[in-house]
Amino acid sequence: MQRPHVVSFNGELDIWKESEVEARLSVLDGSAPIVIDLSDVRYLDSAFLSALVRLRRRLPNSAITLVVEAPSVRRIFELTEMHRLFTIEAPPPKVGE
């Protein structure tokens, strides 16, 4: 199995970070499965959701997994039905838990 291309974000992903998000997602070319690690993200807004939708449109046949821990972030993905576009998983348990 091919190693995934992992892109990790943390903190709050809002309109102020849109250019950083776009730059980090633009390097993904679909040559490997994609994992977007949001396990350290506590807040995101529609600018980030739009960036994810643009990524999906650009790479329609790529496997893209979102790793989400915060219940508030998971709820946003549920409300927007992003599970139809992406695989959404919880992070693996930390060692010692």
Side-chain angles (χ1 to χ4, degrees), residues 1 6 9 11 13 18 20 25 28 30-33 54-55 65-66 75-76 88 93 97:
M1 189 169 135
V6 179
F9 293 97
L13 300 175
E18 186 174 19
E20 174 192 340
L25 295 180
L28 300 171
S31 61
R54 284 191 296 277
L55 175 67
T65 301
L66 308 178
R75 181 89 173 119
I76 289 169
I88 300 175
E97 285 187 7

Side-chain angles (χ1 to χ4, degrees), residues 17-57:
K17 292 197 177 163
E18 186 174 19
S19 60
E20 174 192 340
V21 167
E22 287 291 344
R24 296 186 61 203
L25 295 180
S26 70
V27 301
L28 300 171
D29 62 6
S31 61
I34 298 166
V35 174
I36 300 177
D37 184 355
L38 304 172
S39 57
D40 290 327
V41 170
R42 299 292 160 242
Y43 171 83
L44 52 83
D45 70 3
S46 61
F48 185 77
L49 295 177
S50 295
L52 288 178
V53 170
R54 284 191 296 277
L55 175 67
R56 171 47 73 206
R57 285 185 181 146

Side-chain angles (χ1 to χ4, degrees), residues 38-42 67-74 89-91 94:
L38 304 172
S39 57
D40 290 327
V41 170
R42 299 292 160 242
V67 178
V68 181
E69 183 164 2
S72 58
V73 173
R74 183 173 288 277
E89 297 180 354
K94 294 179 174 67

